Every structure is written in C-alpha cells, then in structure tokens.
Amino acid sequence: MKPNVFIDRNVSSEVEAYLAQYCTVDKWEESSPIPREILLKKLENAEGLLTAGTQVDAELIENAPRLKAVSSISVGYNHFDLDAMRENGIIGTHTPHVLDDTVADLALALMLGTARRVAELDRYVKEGQWKAGIGNTWFGQDVHHAKLGIIGMGRIGEAVARRARFGFDMDVAYFNRSRKPEAEAQLGVRYLSLNDLLAESDFIVMLAPLTTETNKLIGQEQFKLMKPTAIFINVSRGQTIDEAALIEALQAGTITAAGLDVFEQEPIPENHPFLTMNNVLTLPHIGSATEATRANMAMLAARNLVHALTGQTPTNTVAELR
Ligand code: NAP
C-alpha cells in the first residue's frame, strides 16, 4: 500500500506527479494558506506532510497519529518543534544547498539596494522629482571595497562571502560559534568575535538560523556597537533581531539603513513603522523566490519525503533529528 501524503500548499504538477508514483496524494488546492483546523483534519490519516512554514508541534503530531515524516520546502526549519518530533520518531527534512546562490544574490541585492538607495531613487524618478542633478542629499555609499561582516557563515554565508570578496573586493569577516579554517583559506575571510564584527563592519548580514540561541541575538546593545554609517541586512529570520531595537536604531541615526527580507511577523502588519521609513528596504521573504530555485527546492523536498516514507535514509534529514 502506498503511504498517504498531504501537501499543504501549491506545488507544480511535476512535483505532484512525482509524489503520486510512490504515495497517495491529497493536497490543499487554494492559494490562501490552509486553516489550521483543516490541516489537522487532513493529517488524521497521513504518513507524510509536504510543507514549508507550517508549525510542526505537539498539537499537530497529536492530530496525526500515523505521521512518519515531514518534508519542508525550505532550508530553515525553525517551524519544527524538534523535541516533539524526536519524541514521536518523526523524520524532518529540509532543502539545503539548492538555494544558496539564489539567497546570496538577494543578500547582495539588499546591500546594493540600501547602499545606493535604489528604491528611494526609483520613487524619486517616478514621482517626477528628477528636474536636475540629484544633489548630495541623495548620494549613497560604496559597496565595493567596504567591510562586510557575516553573522552565520554557513552554506549561504559562504556564497555571500564569495560574491563580496571576488565580485566587490570587499574585506569580509564572519562570526559563527565555530571557526571555518577552510573558508578562511579559500575565501580570504577573517574570523571576528561578534562584538568586533559589529564594530568594524560597514555592512552586516545576518544569516544565522533562528534557534533559542539566536532569538533576538541582535538587539539594542548590539546596534549601539555598530558604526553610524552601518547598513544592516537580515535574510535569516525576523526573530533573530529585536525589531523594536532596530526601529529605534534607525530612527535615532545609530545606524544608517536596513535591508530586510524577513520580519518578526509575516506578512508585515499594515501599520508597521518600517513601511514609512525611507532608510529601510523591505521585501516579502523572497530569498529563494526564483522560478528555478523554488522548483528545485520543491522537487528535492518531494524526494526527501519519498525517501523517508520508503525506508531509505533521506540525505537531507535536519541535523538535530539524525
Ligand atoms: P547553515 O549552512 O546551517 O549556516 C548557518 C550558520 O550559522 C552556520 O555556519 C552556523 O555555524 C551559524 N550559527 C548557528 N548558530 C549560531 C549562533 N548561535 N551564533 C552564530 N552563528 C551561528 O544554513 P544556511 O543554509 O546557510 O541557511 C541559513 C539561514 O538562512 C536559514 O536557517 C534560514 O533561516 C535563512 N534563509 C532565509 C531565506 C530567505 O528566504 N530569506 C532563504 C534561505 C535561508 P556554527 O554552527 O559554527 O555556529
């Protein structure tokens, strides 16, 4: 008998057809997110779940007595309650590697966009303000040859470092819990303590995963260590920074600008202060959102799920559940 799987969001017909070769597939057909109570009902008989950001916690597991594996179409898996999954022997997989270059491109887009004020100046042109030379109030900052500090020098961090070092001649430093001598040798990057990195960098890119340790890792104290000209980029998860402290730092001129792909609450609430701040570039969590990369991620996640449900060892089981 084929295992039952539930897909809780839209995926391509290729992904669905692949899964259907090995599994009996049910799916959420609508473009709006599936309401939690419907999801829980759908999982009553499911052995597998293909998802992206759905909270996989004790409540979900309790409602899914046959669940064996959850495959996330994402590299981050902060929506997995790892203790609850471990206790119930549920395999959890994610999609590392396939999105590294795409997310790194977006980190660079945010660096360039904030430094050269791309969104602000686009509005300036479209609003008909371009009547003569722009004048130095609109000048930006150089990205090339500037100092970049990467917090969380993993797969994506290294892809950012490569672009910054070899594409923009930047001086790149990083902070991790452990040093990476190979990356230091290959990419010419320096290891710094978090405080030194914050104090030295012109651009700071947050790429550490959201965990209990990194929750609000960057708050008031950390923003105060940064240069007044610093530009802060977050492509990890909104909760890795204290958003209220970032707003305060930007309003007080403690730092110059921020480029954000992720937020404490997503979608961002209508009245959020960031939405009226010209020195904040806001994107709707699109780090991996290109046609090709999202297709590759979804297919990899489908393969991970099939492996987990057919007795093979999935290569992409998340580290804490191996
Ligand atoms: P990764 O390869 O696991 O890299 C994460 C790095 O963070 C590791 O080098 C790790 O090194 C470091 N780290 C972990 N805990 C830390 C801590 N407490 N303090 C400092 N450094 C810490 O992950 P990845 O594939 O590069 O992805 C990174 C994150 O990017 C994901 O978890 C996800 O949240 C985010 N992401 C966002 C998007 C988007 O659309 N915006 C897309 C993809 C990924 P140590 O273990 O040595 O500390």
Side-chain angles (χ1 to χ4, degrees), residues 210-224:
L210 174 61
T211 62
T212 44
E213 248 180 81
T214 61
N215 192 20
K216 291 194 172 31
L217 181 67
I218 306 300
Q220 193 182 45
E221 203 183 308
Q222 288 70 31
F223 287 118
K224 280 194 177 144

Side-chain angles (χ1 to χ4, degrees), residues 74-78 94-97 99-100 103 106 151-158 174-180 194 206-215 217 234-237 240 261-262 285-289 294 297:
S74 64
V75 69
Y77 49 91
N78 47 287
H94 66 149
T95 60
H97 305 293
L99 41 52
D100 295 352
V103 182
L106 191 84
I151 304 169
M153 181 74 145
R155 291 171 291 257
I156 301 170
E158 285 194 27
Y174 75 99
F175 169 69
N176 264 6
R177 290 168 304 178
S178 49
R179 281 184 74 153
K180 299 184 88 174
L194 180 58
M206 169 53 100
L207 266 167
L210 174 61
T211 62
T212 44
E213 248 180 81
T214 61
N215 192 20
L217 181 67
N234 192 3
V235 260
S236 71
R237 290 289 182 265
T240 57
D261 186 41
V262 288
H285 200 147
I286 53 151
S288 63
R294 282 287 172 86
M297 288 166 69

Side-chain angles (χ1 to χ4, degrees), residues 52-255:
T54 291
Q55 284 298 326
V56 180
D57 52 16
E59 181 204 41
L60 181 143
I61 293 169
E62 213 172 282
N63 282 271
R66 300 175 60 188
L67 194 64
K68 290 199 182 93
V70 179
S71 175
S72 188
I73 311 169
S74 64
V75 69
Y77 49 91
N78 47 287
H79 51 292
F80 285 177
D81 179 336
L82 296 167
D83 290 336
M85 291 174 77
R86 197 179 295 109
E87 273 164 30
N88 290 279
I90 292 170
I91 299 167
T93 63
H94 66 149
T95 60
H97 305 293
V98 288
L99 41 52
D100 295 352
D101 285 322
T102 299
V103 182
D105 284 353
L106 191 84
L108 265 293
L110 284 168
M111 286 166 60
L112 290 161
T114 44
R116 301 302 303 273
R117 307 175 67 175
V118 170
E120 279 179 275
L121 285 163
D122 173 66
R123 282 196 295 276
Y124 174 91
V125 174
K126 288 179 180 156
E127 286 166 4
Q129 294 186 62
W130 187 25
K131 306 289 187 202
I134 60 163
N136 61 5
T137 50
W138 289 99
F139 287 174
Q141 295 184 27
D142 281 327
V143 173
H144 68 84
H145 295 94
K147 288 189 173 182
L148 167 65
I150 298 173
I151 304 169
M153 181 74 145
R155 291 171 291 257
I156 301 170
E158 285 194 27
V160 172
R162 202 168 299 118
R163 284 158 174 71
R165 272 291 281 131
F166 304 124
F168 292 84
D169 289 314
M170 296 183 85
D171 174 3
V172 183
Y174 75 99
F175 169 69
N176 264 6
R177 290 168 304 178
S178 49
R179 281 184 74 153
K180 299 184 88 174
E182 240 174 68
E184 289 177 27
Q186 282 171 7
L187 303 172
V189 297
R190 298 178 292 131
Y191 180 83
L192 287 178
S193 71
L194 180 58
N195 285 357
D196 286 347
L197 178 145
L198 298 173
E200 276 189 24
S201 302
D202 300 308
F203 295 85
I204 294 155
V205 176
M206 169 53 100
L207 266 167
L210 174 61
T211 62
T212 44
E213 248 180 81
T214 61
N215 192 20
K216 291 194 172 31
L217 181 67
I218 306 300
Q220 193 182 45
E221 203 183 308
Q222 288 70 31
F223 287 118
K224 280 194 177 144
L225 292 174
M226 297 178 193
K227 295 179 182 176
T229 50
I231 292 180
F232 182 77
I233 307 293
N234 192 3
V235 260
S236 71
R237 290 289 182 265
Q239 295 86 345
T240 57
I241 61 163
D242 179 342
E243 228 169 56
L246 174 59
I247 293 164
E248 198 185 300
L250 288 161
Q251 286 172 341
T254 312
I255 67 171

